Amino acid sequence: MTKILSLFSKFTDVLMAICLTSMAILVFGNVVLRYAFDAGIPWSEEMSRFFFVWLTFLGAIGALKDNSHLGVDMFIKKLPRQAKRLCYVISNLIVLYVLWLVFDGSWKSTSVSTNAHAPATGLPMSYIYGIGVVMSVGMGIIVLYNLYLALFLKDGLDQLLVRKDSEEETLLENMGTNQKQSLTGGNP
């Protein structure tokens, strides 16, 4: 399962890179064409908007995979282990329900919009609404995997609940002991 998630992660990373690169090339090219040659690509703005939507939704999948979404764990840290596990499971079940709602709405929008076309590119609008389906399925798989880790692996919950409080904490982790002491005023 870890290998499948790793391949899925690499695939989404490649898609995000393609979206970002394509968006940058289209916008930059269109700006150069407009200012230098008084002409432009008519579908460039629309296509870069589509790439941006896909990039945003794929980025949400990547952030969930890396456990980078914002979270408030001030109270969770103070709970005993079993209460942490219960809170984690309940919160992830709520996330699964919300993902189901997103999937259902996106599926309906995608189905309805197969005959609607974007004005400049002529692409079916279902290509845009379909990313909600992709995102909800991708995030659902990650949440289910995380639930499996939390419920059935001994140290799984500890791996999932590790959060950095700030960039400074990450910086301190990567520094040597002498650098830490000089930065913190002598306190190790």
Side-chain angles (χ1 to χ4, degrees):
M1 184 67 168
T2 307
K3 196 168 200 171
I4 293 171
L5 284 177
S6 176
L7 286 173
F8 179 70
S9 172
K10 288 178 184 176
F11 180 69
T12 56
D13 289 347
V14 167
L15 279 179
M16 285 190 291
I18 289 170
C19 287
L20 184 61
T21 304
S22 302
M23 190 171 68
I25 289 170
L26 285 173
V27 170
F28 180 75
N30 209 25
V31 167
V32 169
L33 286 173
R34 285 192 192 276
Y35 285 106
F37 302 106
D38 202 25
I41 306 169
W43 49 267
S44 172
E45 183 182 338
E46 185 174 282
M47 202 64 208
S48 51
R49 189 178 323 122
F50 290 173
F51 284 133
F52 184 69
V53 170
W54 272 76
L55 179 66
T56 303
F57 279 81
L58 291 171
I61 297 171
L64 181 66
K65 171 195 60 85
D66 295 337
N67 200 19
S68 297
H69 280 284
L70 290 176
V72 180
D73 58 355
M74 183 171 64
F75 301 114
I76 301 295
K77 285 181 178 180
K78 298 176 192 253
L79 294 175
R81 184 170 178 75
Q82 290 305 321
K84 284 181 186 179
R85 186 182 312 269
L86 180 66
C87 287
Y88 187 81
V89 168
I90 290 171
S91 66
N92 277 284
L93 289 175
I94 293 169
V95 168
L96 279 176
Y97 176 69
V98 171
L99 288 173
W100 167 252
L101 294 175
V102 171
F103 175 82
D104 186 48
S106 297
W107 184 260
K108 289 175 183 174
S109 295
T110 303
S111 300
V112 168
S113 65
T114 54
N115 293 328
H117 297 280
T121 59
L123 290 172
M125 291 302 291
S126 58
Y127 288 175
I128 296 302
Y129 299 123
I131 187 58
V133 174
V134 172
M135 184 216 54
S136 56
V137 169
M139 289 178 91
I141 291 169
I142 293 168
V143 169
L144 289 172
Y145 180 70
N146 288 346
L147 281 172
Y148 168 77
L149 290 177
L151 291 173
F152 299 110
L153 291 182
K154 183 178 179 183
D155 295 330
L157 186 64
D158 295 331
Q159 293 173 347
L160 296 169
L161 292 179
V162 172
R163 287 194 184 273
K164 302 287 184 245
D165 289 333
S166 67
E167 290 179 16
E168 293 168 0
E169 188 176 293
T170 305
L171 182 64
L172 285 173
E173 263 183 24
N174 295 331
M175 288 181 158
T177 307
N178 293 336
Q179 291 172 328
K180 284 182 190 178
Q181 289 176 350
S182 65
L183 186 64
T184 60
N187 297 330

